[in-house]
Amino acid sequence: MGQGKTKYRVLVASSGEKIHDYFSSLLPPDEYELVCHTHNAGETRRVLLSQSVDIVIVNTPLSDEFGTQLALDLSDSIMSIMLIVKSELFERVAHQVEDCGVLTVSKPNSRQTFYGALKLLTAVSAKLAKMEKKNKSLQEKMADIRTVNRAKWLLIENLNMTENDAHHYIEKQAMDTRLSRREVAEGIIRTYDK
């Protein structure tokens, strides 16, 4: 495994212990950390409130619900989700959850198929993490722009500057004080926003 490569945190939800042991033996410890085994949907939801995981594997049926609703509920997060269902239910369940990005795998199946599905989830998880980071960066940039624009309008209103003068004033203050434009803008807002 390469330096700096992510170790993926995995939660297995299954009413039985066998699948937990199975995935414990299947997951290479240098790539995956099996953080938790839950027995039902309620326990899974509670655990996920306090622990972050990258991949959730739901072996259906769970003791308190089938598991489809749990997978659908979790699909709104950036976690990757694998739903394991009996082969006779595969098509119906896959059709129900695929639009939400949940990967469905039928059982019984080979070790190679489960490992291949897990590697697919790993790739999806890495892609989602990159997109989340990019999204966060864009949101921060938009917040910076809004803050700087608010400060410019306060300078225009209170000091009768033109928009261009206000822009240059913020830029110069940022260079002179070695602060970011946003920090300068926040100071202007504290001064003039009443």
Side-chain angles (χ1 to χ4, degrees):
M1 187 163 148
Q3 284 257 340
K5 191 158 178 172
T6 302
K7 190 170 187 175
Y8 293 92
R9 296 173 49 85
V10 180
L11 179 146
V12 176
S14 174
S15 53
E17 296 292 326
K18 282 184 183 177
I19 198 78
H20 180 264
D21 296 339
Y22 179 76
F23 276 103
S24 290
S25 70
L26 182 68
L27 301 173
D30 59 333
E31 293 180 48
Y32 300 95
E33 177 186 358
L34 195 54
V35 294
C36 192
H37 172 231
T38 58
H39 296 90
N40 58 53
E43 181 185 3
T44 303
R45 287 180 177 97
R46 282 190 301 279
V47 166
L48 290 174
L49 290 174
S50 61
Q51 290 192 39
S52 77
V53 299
D54 304 299
I55 298 170
V56 176
I57 300 169
V58 180
N59 182 38
T60 65
L62 299 174
S63 60
D64 58 349
E65 68 175 67
F66 183 73
T68 306
Q69 190 57 51
L70 172 64
L72 290 171
D73 291 347
L74 297 178
S75 71
D76 287 337
S77 68
I78 63 164
M79 291 178 275
S80 296
I81 301 142
M82 179 191 301
L83 192 59
I84 303 172
V85 299
K86 289 184 179 175
S87 57
E88 59 267 16
L89 301 173
F90 175 79
E91 277 189 48
R92 182 175 59 83
V93 173
H95 180 72
Q96 186 179 355
V97 299
E98 66 190 6
D99 287 343
C100 294
V102 175
L103 177 66
T104 308
V105 178
S106 66
K107 62 180 175 182
N109 223 315
S110 70
R111 189 173 178 87
Q112 185 176 6
T113 299
F114 279 123
Y115 189 70
L118 187 63
K119 294 306 275 183
L120 178 63
L121 281 180
T122 302
V124 168
S125 189
K127 184 80 167 176
L128 287 172
K130 281 183 183 178
M131 289 173 63
E132 180 74 11
K133 186 176 179 181
K134 194 176 210 177
N135 184 31
K136 215 174 254 185
S137 173
L138 288 172
Q139 287 178 353
E140 287 173 13
K141 286 179 184 176
M142 287 174 61
D144 288 352
I145 290 168
R146 281 192 295 272
T147 302
V148 169
N149 283 340
R150 176 74 183 129
K152 280 198 273 186
W153 287 111
L154 286 169
L155 290 173
I156 291 166
E157 287 175 11
N158 291 287
L159 300 180
N160 296 322
M161 290 185 177
T162 65
E163 184 176 358
N164 201 29
D165 289 342
H167 177 78
H168 287 298
Y169 176 82
I170 292 171
E171 291 282 329
K172 183 161 179 13
Q173 288 295 309
M175 282 191 294
D176 291 349
T177 59
R178 295 184 181 192
L179 295 172
S180 69
R181 292 177 346 128
R182 183 175 184 163
E183 290 170 315
V184 169
E186 287 169 343
I188 292 167
I189 291 169
R190 280 192 300 275
T191 302
Y192 294 107
D193 198 11
K194 300 188 191 297

